[in-house]
Amino acid sequence: MPISIEKKCKDKGVKLTEQRKIIAKVMSESNDHPNVDDLYVRVSKIDSKISIATVYRTVKLFQESGILAKHDFKGSKARYEELNEGHHDHLIDVKTGEIIEFVDNEIEDLQKKVAEKYGYELVDHKLELYGIKKKS
Amino acid sequence: MPISIEKKCKDKGVKLTEQRKIIAKVMSESNDHPNVDDLYVRVSKIDSKISIATVYRTVKLFQESGILAKHDFKGSKARYEELNEGHHDHLIDVKTGEIIEFVDNEIEDLQKKVAEKYGYELVDHKLELYGIKKKS
DNA sequence: GTAGATGCAAAGTATTTGCGACAAG
DNA sequence: CTTGTCGCAAATACTTTGCATCTAC
């Protein structure tokens, strides 16, 4: 099975270069939400000649093509994650930085209602919860 | 009546300099959510000798003291607003950049529940809705 | 073959900081 | 007085870009 990001590139007419394949592969295999530096380090292990400029250009391109999502969480650099069908929001552990993905349809519906109440059609949203792990 | 930001500074032991008073005043009178450049322009009209470094230092200090809130809305620079008792979230018009503040207790409660479901105590959150104005 | 991608280094933005002069408490 | 703040310019952090070369299609 081909890497899903590569398939998306073809579908969207994005030229598949060696560098982009590597970046796609690394992103696919990352379960955390790496920032550009993290990504550059991981990518460099596979091909040390890839420049950071290419990494920046590629994440931007992938983001504009709807392949990756960019997140600006509080107090940290921009982080990226692969975008799949299932939309989700994030719960961030303020102590460790760990990120939990979640979906809550009830909240989603309410958001739509709030937007409508003010005469808007909701086109996008951002919901981030910041929490501290409870002792159990 | 003294400006509420000045009172907060005293309460929190933040030294009240002339520059801080001016920045406090400008923020109090701003109903939009200015970024540092906007703020610097407005502040300079009152005292042209204030440096941008002081504006940066002051918004950071005020933010850490819980006097101002910093927002990183999609695709724009950090913007600031005065923090009052009433918490609220933002609905951003993606065409005009206009910002509507809203409160929805139902959503707030659900957020707390979601965090708890994963074993976390909610300490903070960010909710931004991005919408397009409907024709009416 | 040609349009678009890459690497490199230089240029942009946004923000922070070292330091001597200065002002608030 | 003494500690913290200010203005200035230099430094830093992150990201983008011009250009000559190279590569996918």
Side-chain angles (χ1 to χ4, degrees):
Chain A
M1 161 186 130
I3 294 183
S4 121
I5 293 183
E6 291 192 12
K7 185 176 177 328
K8 284 188 195 168
C9 285
K10 276 178 196 154
D11 292 351
K12 310 202 184 209
V14 169
K15 200 182 273 188
L16 256 182
T17 64
E18 204 47 49
Q19 292 88 335
R20 290 183 184 167
K21 279 184 199 166
I22 293 172
I23 292 169
K25 178 170 150 56
V26 170
M27 279 306 302
S28 289
E29 291 170 354
S30 296
N31 293 313
D32 52 349
H33 297 59
N35 62 35
V36 171
D37 284 328
D38 298 333
L39 194 50
Y40 178 55
V41 168
R42 294 175 200 180
V43 153
S44 297
K45 282 182 189 155
I46 300 177
D47 178 352
S48 63
K49 292 188 312 308
I50 291 183
S51 80
I52 187 113
T54 297
V55 177
Y56 272 107
R57 280 191 275 236
T58 303
V59 292
K60 193 173 193 181
L61 172 72
F62 281 1
Q63 189 205 332
E64 286 163 352
S65 309
I67 293 169
L68 295 182
K70 178 185 184 183
H71 300 294
D72 291 291
F73 297 132
K74 276 176 200 270
S76 63
K77 315 186 194 172
R79 299 169 65 161
Y80 293 83
E81 72 173 319
E82 190 177 352
L83 209 52
N84 292 313
E85 348 61 44
H87 154 79
H88 60 256
D89 291 309
H90 299 93
L91 166 57
I92 297 114
D93 185 316
V94 295
K95 293 237 172 93
T96 68
E98 192 195 344
I99 294 174
I100 294 164
E101 303 179 346
F102 71 88
V103 183
D104 190 296
N105 291 114
E106 232 180 311
I107 293 182
E108 307 272 321
D109 289 345
L110 283 171
Q111 289 176 0
K112 220 171 288 176
K113 270 189 206 153
V114 169
E116 269 161 23
K117 183 168 135 192
Y118 290 96
Y120 281 79
E121 184 194 337
L122 191 65
V123 296
D124 193 8
H125 76 262
K126 183 197 275 190
L127 172 61
E128 291 157 20
L129 305 182
Y130 295 85
I132 297 176
K133 200 170 248 164
K134 285 185 183 172
K135 291 157 195 140
S136 51
Chain B
M1 164 187 127
I3 293 182
S4 122
I5 293 183
E6 292 192 13
K7 184 176 177 330
K8 284 188 196 169
C9 284
K10 276 178 195 153
D11 291 351
K12 310 203 183 210
V14 169
K15 200 182 271 187
L16 255 182
T17 65
E18 204 47 50
Q19 293 86 336
R20 290 183 184 166
K21 279 185 199 166
I22 293 173
I23 293 169
K25 178 171 151 54
V26 170
M27 279 306 302
S28 288
E29 291 171 352
S30 297
N31 292 313
D32 51 350
H33 298 59
N35 61 35
V36 172
D37 285 329
D38 298 333
L39 194 51
Y40 179 56
V41 168
R42 294 176 199 179
V43 154
S44 296
K45 282 182 188 154
I46 300 176
D47 178 352
S48 63
K49 291 188 313 308
I50 291 183
S51 80
I52 186 115
T54 297
V55 178
Y56 272 107
R57 280 191 274 237
T58 303
V59 291
K60 192 173 193 181
L61 171 71
F62 281 1
Q63 189 205 333
E64 286 163 353
S65 308
I67 294 170
L68 295 182
K70 177 184 184 184
H71 299 295
D72 291 290
F73 297 133
K74 276 175 200 270
S76 63
K77 314 186 194 172
R79 299 169 65 161
Y80 293 83
E81 73 173 318
E82 189 177 353
L83 209 51
N84 292 313
E85 348 62 43
H87 154 80
H88 60 256
D89 292 308
H90 299 92
L91 166 56
I92 297 114
D93 185 317
V94 293
K95 294 234 172 96
T96 68
E98 192 195 345
I99 294 174
I100 293 165
E101 303 179 346
F102 71 88
V103 183
D104 189 296
N105 291 114
E106 232 178 311
I107 292 182
E108 307 273 322
D109 289 345
L110 283 171
Q111 289 176 1
K112 220 171 289 176
K113 272 190 204 151
V114 169
E116 268 162 22
K117 183 169 135 193
Y118 290 96
Y120 281 81
E121 184 194 336
L122 191 65
V123 295
D124 193 10
H125 77 262
K126 183 197 276 191
L127 173 60
E128 291 158 18
L129 304 183
Y130 295 85
I132 297 176
K133 200 169 250 166
K134 286 185 183 172
K135 291 159 195 139
S136 50

